Amino acid sequence: MTSLLKKSRLFSAALSKPIALAVLCISLTGVTAQADSLPNIVGRDLDGKITSLHRSFDGKPTVINFWWIKCSPCKQELPDLIAKDAAYPNVDFIFVHAETNAKTKGAYEIDDVKGFLDRQALLLDRVIIGNTKARKSAGVNALPTTLLVDKQGRVDQTLVGFTPENTAKISQWLGRR
């Protein structure tokens, strides 16, 4: 609570400084409860089969990226993560589309996600199409968010946002695997 109070005071002080305000807003939206173990998100894969993070977890170090087709930072981060996926075959990458469709009030349709990936020329091997409720139940309050999970299924790090610092942290984590 003290940390949040400090951030709140910083927020008030930063109102006159737009750059500081933007950075602080990203920080405040990224306040998440660090889970000790792999969250269980259930959804459909790109073939329409019901799957979950627990079923997808193979006991290997795993990068789990929560993203959304309408999130600009998510779109920028995906190519970097795809390149890392190709460079680290001993690490699993799971991409969780984690937002509810405002029109249907349900998870996005598989064809919507596939269409987005095709238009962006992105190939994601392991996708789970979830929704906002599932994302929030996993303690993920902002997109993109990346979980770095050890081979025992424990979350080592939770990284909120697509930033140079987070990209470097992912690379460092992968380098130790």
Side-chain angles (χ1 to χ4, degrees), residues 48-84:
K49 297 176 186 157
I50 300 262
T51 190
S52 71
L53 277 179
H54 283 190
R55 276 190 235 142
S56 298
F57 182 72
D58 288 337
K60 292 170 48 175
T62 303
V63 174
I64 302 169
N65 180 255
F66 290 83
W67 65 285
W68 175 38
I69 61 176
K70 294 188 178 186
C71 166
S72 293
C74 300
K75 292 176 192 177
Q76 294 170 350
E77 183 177 44
L78 286 171
D80 179 67
L81 292 173
I82 291 168
K84 285 176 170 64

Short mmCIF file of all heavy atoms in Angstrom, two decimals, residues 48-84:
data_model
loop_
_atom_site.label_atom_id
_atom_site.label_comp_id
_atom_site.label_asym_id
_atom_site.label_seq_id
_atom_site.Cartn_x
_atom_site.Cartn_y
_atom_site.Cartn_z
N GLY A 48 -9.33 -24.06 -33.20
CA GLY A 48 -10.65 -24.10 -32.58
C GLY A 48 -10.78 -25.07 -31.42
O GLY A 48 -11.85 -25.22 -30.85
N LYS A 49 -9.69 -25.73 -31.07
CA LYS A 49 -9.73 -26.69 -29.97
C LYS A 49 -9.57 -25.96 -28.64
O LYS A 49 -8.78 -25.03 -28.52
CB LYS A 49 -8.62 -27.73 -30.12
CG LYS A 49 -8.74 -28.58 -31.36
CD LYS A 49 -7.57 -29.51 -31.49
CE LYS A 49 -7.66 -30.24 -32.82
NZ LYS A 49 -6.37 -30.72 -33.26
N ILE A 50 -10.31 -26.44 -27.63
CA ILE A 50 -10.18 -25.89 -26.28
C ILE A 50 -8.81 -26.27 -25.74
O ILE A 50 -8.39 -27.42 -25.86
CB ILE A 50 -11.27 -26.46 -25.34
CG1 ILE A 50 -12.65 -26.10 -25.86
CG2 ILE A 50 -11.05 -25.99 -23.92
CD1 ILE A 50 -13.30 -24.91 -25.25
N THR A 51 -8.13 -25.29 -25.18
CA THR A 51 -6.81 -25.52 -24.60
C THR A 51 -6.64 -24.62 -23.39
O THR A 51 -7.50 -23.79 -23.10
CB THR A 51 -5.69 -25.29 -25.64
OG1 THR A 51 -4.46 -25.74 -25.10
CG2 THR A 51 -5.59 -23.83 -26.06
N SER A 52 -5.54 -24.77 -22.70
CA SER A 52 -5.27 -23.92 -21.54
C SER A 52 -3.76 -23.77 -21.38
O SER A 52 -2.98 -24.53 -21.96
CB SER A 52 -5.86 -24.53 -20.27
OG SER A 52 -5.13 -25.68 -19.88
N LEU A 53 -3.38 -22.80 -20.56
CA LEU A 53 -1.95 -22.65 -20.28
C LEU A 53 -1.41 -23.89 -19.60
O LEU A 53 -0.31 -24.35 -19.92
CB LEU A 53 -1.70 -21.43 -19.39
CG LEU A 53 -1.61 -20.09 -20.10
CD1 LEU A 53 -1.40 -18.97 -19.10
CD2 LEU A 53 -0.51 -20.08 -21.14
N HIS A 54 -2.17 -24.47 -18.68
CA HIS A 54 -1.68 -25.66 -17.99
C HIS A 54 -1.47 -26.81 -18.96
O HIS A 54 -0.48 -27.54 -18.87
CB HIS A 54 -2.64 -26.06 -16.87
CG HIS A 54 -2.51 -25.19 -15.66
ND1 HIS A 54 -3.11 -25.47 -14.47
CD2 HIS A 54 -1.84 -24.04 -15.44
CE1 HIS A 54 -2.82 -24.53 -13.59
NE2 HIS A 54 -2.06 -23.64 -14.16
N ARG A 55 -2.40 -27.00 -19.91
CA ARG A 55 -2.24 -28.07 -20.89
C ARG A 55 -1.10 -27.77 -21.87
O ARG A 55 -0.45 -28.68 -22.37
CB ARG A 55 -3.52 -28.28 -21.69
CG ARG A 55 -4.50 -29.17 -20.98
CD ARG A 55 -5.64 -29.55 -21.91
NE ARG A 55 -6.86 -29.15 -21.23
CZ ARG A 55 -7.92 -28.63 -21.80
NH1 ARG A 55 -7.96 -28.45 -23.10
NH2 ARG A 55 -8.96 -28.30 -21.09
N SER A 56 -0.88 -26.50 -22.15
CA SER A 56 0.16 -26.11 -23.10
C SER A 56 1.55 -26.13 -22.49
O SER A 56 2.54 -26.18 -23.21
CB SER A 56 -0.13 -24.70 -23.63
OG SER A 56 -1.36 -24.68 -24.32
N PHE A 57 1.63 -26.10 -21.17
CA PHE A 57 2.92 -26.06 -20.49
C PHE A 57 3.57 -27.43 -20.55
O PHE A 57 3.00 -28.42 -20.13
CB PHE A 57 2.76 -25.60 -19.04
CG PHE A 57 4.05 -25.49 -18.29
CD1 PHE A 57 4.93 -24.46 -18.59
CD2 PHE A 57 4.39 -26.40 -17.31
CE1 PHE A 57 6.14 -24.36 -17.91
CE2 PHE A 57 5.58 -26.30 -16.62
CZ PHE A 57 6.46 -25.27 -16.92
N ASP A 58 4.81 -27.49 -21.09
CA ASP A 58 5.52 -28.76 -21.30
C ASP A 58 6.67 -28.99 -20.33
O ASP A 58 7.53 -29.83 -20.60
CB ASP A 58 6.08 -28.82 -22.73
CG ASP A 58 4.99 -29.01 -23.77
OD1 ASP A 58 3.91 -29.53 -23.43
OD2 ASP A 58 5.24 -28.64 -24.93
N GLY A 59 6.73 -28.24 -19.24
CA GLY A 59 7.83 -28.42 -18.30
C GLY A 59 9.14 -27.84 -18.80
O GLY A 59 10.21 -28.27 -18.38
N LYS A 60 9.05 -26.89 -19.71
CA LYS A 60 10.23 -26.19 -20.23
C LYS A 60 10.12 -24.72 -19.81
O LYS A 60 9.02 -24.24 -19.52
CB LYS A 60 10.25 -26.26 -21.76
CG LYS A 60 10.49 -27.66 -22.30
CD LYS A 60 10.27 -27.79 -23.79
CE LYS A 60 10.90 -26.79 -24.67
NZ LYS A 60 10.73 -27.08 -26.12
N PRO A 61 11.24 -24.00 -19.78
CA PRO A 61 11.13 -22.56 -19.59
C PRO A 61 10.15 -22.01 -20.64
O PRO A 61 10.18 -22.45 -21.80
CB PRO A 61 12.55 -22.05 -19.82
CG PRO A 61 13.42 -23.23 -19.57
CD PRO A 61 12.62 -24.42 -20.00
N THR A 62 9.30 -21.09 -20.23
CA THR A 62 8.23 -20.64 -21.11
C THR A 62 8.06 -19.13 -21.03
O THR A 62 8.04 -18.56 -19.93
CB THR A 62 6.90 -21.32 -20.75
OG1 THR A 62 7.08 -22.75 -20.81
CG2 THR A 62 5.78 -20.93 -21.68
N VAL A 63 7.91 -18.51 -22.19
CA VAL A 63 7.57 -17.10 -22.29
C VAL A 63 6.09 -17.04 -22.66
O VAL A 63 5.68 -17.61 -23.68
CB VAL A 63 8.43 -16.39 -23.37
CG1 VAL A 63 7.97 -14.95 -23.58
CG2 VAL A 63 9.90 -16.46 -23.01
N ILE A 64 5.31 -16.37 -21.82
CA ILE A 64 3.88 -16.23 -22.09
C ILE A 64 3.60 -14.76 -22.32
O ILE A 64 3.83 -13.93 -21.45
CB ILE A 64 3.03 -16.76 -20.92
CG1 ILE A 64 3.35 -18.22 -20.65
CG2 ILE A 64 1.54 -16.55 -21.22
CD1 ILE A 64 2.77 -18.75 -19.36
N ASN A 65 3.12 -14.44 -23.51
CA ASN A 65 2.84 -13.06 -23.87
C ASN A 65 1.34 -12.85 -23.98
O ASN A 65 0.67 -13.53 -24.74
CB ASN A 65 3.53 -12.71 -25.19
CG ASN A 65 3.26 -11.28 -25.60
OD1 ASN A 65 2.49 -11.02 -26.51
ND2 ASN A 65 3.90 -10.34 -24.93
N PHE A 66 0.82 -11.91 -23.19
CA PHE A 66 -0.59 -11.51 -23.26
C PHE A 66 -0.67 -10.30 -24.18
O PHE A 66 0.02 -9.30 -23.96
CB PHE A 66 -1.10 -11.14 -21.86
CG PHE A 66 -1.23 -12.31 -20.94
CD1 PHE A 66 -0.13 -12.78 -20.24
CD2 PHE A 66 -2.45 -12.94 -20.76
CE1 PHE A 66 -0.25 -13.87 -19.38
CE2 PHE A 66 -2.57 -14.03 -19.91
CZ PHE A 66 -1.47 -14.49 -19.22
N TRP A 67 -1.52 -10.39 -25.21
CA TRP A 67 -1.60 -9.36 -26.24
C TRP A 67 -3.03 -9.23 -26.74
O TRP A 67 -3.93 -9.99 -26.36
CB TRP A 67 -0.64 -9.68 -27.38
CG TRP A 67 -1.00 -10.95 -28.12
CD1 TRP A 67 -0.83 -12.23 -27.69
CD2 TRP A 67 -1.65 -11.05 -29.39
NE1 TRP A 67 -1.31 -13.12 -28.63
CE2 TRP A 67 -1.82 -12.42 -29.68
CE3 TRP A 67 -2.09 -10.11 -30.31
CZ2 TRP A 67 -2.42 -12.87 -30.86
CZ3 TRP A 67 -2.68 -10.56 -31.49
CH2 TRP A 67 -2.83 -11.93 -31.75
N TRP A 68 -3.24 -8.26 -27.65
CA TRP A 68 -4.56 -7.99 -28.22
C TRP A 68 -4.36 -7.41 -29.61
O TRP A 68 -3.46 -6.61 -29.84
CB TRP A 68 -5.29 -7.02 -27.31
CG TRP A 68 -6.61 -6.50 -27.74
CD1 TRP A 68 -7.59 -7.18 -28.40
CD2 TRP A 68 -7.12 -5.19 -27.52
NE1 TRP A 68 -8.69 -6.38 -28.59
CE2 TRP A 68 -8.42 -5.14 -28.05
CE3 TRP A 68 -6.62 -4.05 -26.91
CZ2 TRP A 68 -9.22 -4.00 -28.00
CZ3 TRP A 68 -7.41 -2.92 -26.86
CH2 TRP A 68 -8.70 -2.90 -27.40
N ILE A 69 -5.21 -7.80 -30.55
CA ILE A 69 -5.05 -7.37 -31.94
C ILE A 69 -5.16 -5.85 -32.13
O ILE A 69 -4.66 -5.33 -33.11
CB ILE A 69 -6.01 -8.10 -32.91
CG1 ILE A 69 -7.46 -7.83 -32.58
CG2 ILE A 69 -5.73 -9.58 -32.94
CD1 ILE A 69 -8.47 -8.45 -33.55
N LYS A 70 -5.78 -5.14 -31.20
CA LYS A 70 -5.93 -3.69 -31.34
C LYS A 70 -4.94 -2.90 -30.49
O LYS A 70 -5.04 -1.69 -30.39
CB LYS A 70 -7.36 -3.29 -30.99
CG LYS A 70 -8.36 -3.85 -31.98
CD LYS A 70 -9.73 -3.31 -31.76
CE LYS A 70 -10.68 -3.87 -32.82
NZ LYS A 70 -11.99 -3.27 -32.73
N CYS A 71 -3.97 -3.58 -29.91
CA CYS A 71 -2.98 -2.94 -29.03
C CYS A 71 -1.73 -2.62 -29.84
O CYS A 71 -1.03 -3.53 -30.29
CB CYS A 71 -2.68 -3.89 -27.87
SG CYS A 71 -1.21 -3.50 -26.91
N SER A 72 -1.44 -1.32 -30.05
CA SER A 72 -0.27 -0.93 -30.84
C SER A 72 1.05 -1.45 -30.28
O SER A 72 1.85 -1.99 -31.04
CB SER A 72 -0.23 0.60 -30.99
OG SER A 72 -1.31 1.03 -31.77
N PRO A 73 1.32 -1.31 -28.97
CA PRO A 73 2.57 -1.86 -28.46
C PRO A 73 2.66 -3.39 -28.64
O PRO A 73 3.74 -3.93 -28.88
CB PRO A 73 2.58 -1.48 -26.98
CG PRO A 73 1.65 -0.33 -26.87
CD PRO A 73 0.62 -0.54 -27.94
N CYS A 74 1.51 -4.06 -28.54
CA CYS A 74 1.49 -5.51 -28.75
C CYS A 74 1.94 -5.84 -30.18
O CYS A 74 2.75 -6.74 -30.40
CB CYS A 74 0.09 -6.08 -28.52
SG CYS A 74 -0.58 -5.84 -26.87
N LYS A 75 1.41 -5.08 -31.14
CA LYS A 75 1.76 -5.30 -32.55
C LYS A 75 3.25 -5.08 -32.78
O LYS A 75 3.87 -5.77 -33.57
CB LYS A 75 0.97 -4.34 -33.44
CG LYS A 75 -0.51 -4.60 -33.48
CD LYS A 75 -1.21 -3.53 -34.31
CE LYS A 75 -2.71 -3.59 -34.13
NZ LYS A 75 -3.38 -2.50 -34.88
N GLN A 76 3.83 -4.11 -32.07
CA GLN A 76 5.25 -3.83 -32.22
C GLN A 76 6.10 -4.92 -31.57
O GLN A 76 7.19 -5.22 -32.05
CB GLN A 76 5.58 -2.48 -31.60
CG GLN A 76 4.94 -1.32 -32.33
CD GLN A 76 5.08 -0.01 -31.56
OE1 GLN A 76 5.49 0.02 -30.40
NE2 GLN A 76 4.73 1.08 -32.22
N GLU A 77 5.61 -5.49 -30.48
CA GLU A 77 6.39 -6.48 -29.73
C GLU A 77 6.38 -7.87 -30.36
O GLU A 77 7.37 -8.60 -30.26
CB GLU A 77 5.85 -6.57 -28.30
CG GLU A 77 6.63 -7.51 -27.42
CD GLU A 77 6.12 -7.54 -25.99
OE1 GLU A 77 4.89 -7.59 -25.79
OE2 GLU A 77 6.97 -7.51 -25.09
N LEU A 78 5.29 -8.24 -31.02
CA LEU A 78 5.17 -9.60 -31.54
C LEU A 78 6.32 -10.03 -32.44
O LEU A 78 6.85 -11.14 -32.27
CB LEU A 78 3.81 -9.79 -32.23
CG LEU A 78 2.61 -9.89 -31.28
CD1 LEU A 78 1.30 -9.86 -32.08
CD2 LEU A 78 2.69 -11.13 -30.41
N PRO A 79 6.76 -9.22 -33.42
CA PRO A 79 7.88 -9.68 -34.27
C PRO A 79 9.15 -9.97 -33.46
O PRO A 79 9.87 -10.93 -33.77
CB PRO A 79 8.09 -8.51 -35.24
CG PRO A 79 6.76 -7.83 -35.30
CD PRO A 79 6.19 -7.95 -33.91
N ASP A 80 9.42 -9.18 -32.44
CA ASP A 80 10.60 -9.42 -31.60
C ASP A 80 10.47 -10.76 -30.87
O ASP A 80 11.43 -11.53 -30.81
CB ASP A 80 10.77 -8.28 -30.60
CG ASP A 80 11.95 -8.49 -29.68
OD1 ASP A 80 13.09 -8.46 -30.18
OD2 ASP A 80 11.73 -8.70 -28.47
N LEU A 81 9.30 -11.03 -30.34
CA LEU A 81 9.10 -12.29 -29.62
C LEU A 81 9.15 -13.49 -30.57
O LEU A 81 9.66 -14.55 -30.22
CB LEU A 81 7.78 -12.26 -28.85
CG LEU A 81 7.75 -11.30 -27.67
CD1 LEU A 81 6.35 -11.23 -27.07
CD2 LEU A 81 8.77 -11.69 -26.61
N ILE A 82 8.64 -13.32 -31.78
CA ILE A 82 8.70 -14.40 -32.78
C ILE A 82 10.16 -14.72 -33.12
O ILE A 82 10.55 -15.89 -33.23
CB ILE A 82 7.88 -14.03 -34.03
CG1 ILE A 82 6.38 -14.02 -33.69
CG2 ILE A 82 8.18 -14.98 -35.18
CD1 ILE A 82 5.51 -13.39 -34.75
N ALA A 83 10.98 -13.67 -33.26
CA ALA A 83 12.41 -13.89 -33.55
C ALA A 83 13.07 -14.62 -32.37
O ALA A 83 13.90 -15.52 -32.58
CB ALA A 83 13.09 -12.56 -33.81
N LYS A 84 12.73 -14.24 -31.16
CA LYS A 84 13.29 -14.92 -29.99
C LYS A 84 12.82 -16.37 -29.92
O LYS A 84 13.59 -17.26 -29.55
CB LYS A 84 12.91 -14.17 -28.71
CG LYS A 84 13.68 -12.87 -28.50
CD LYS A 84 13.18 -12.14 -27.27
CE LYS A 84 14.05 -10.97 -26.86
NZ LYS A 84 14.13 -9.87 -27.80
#
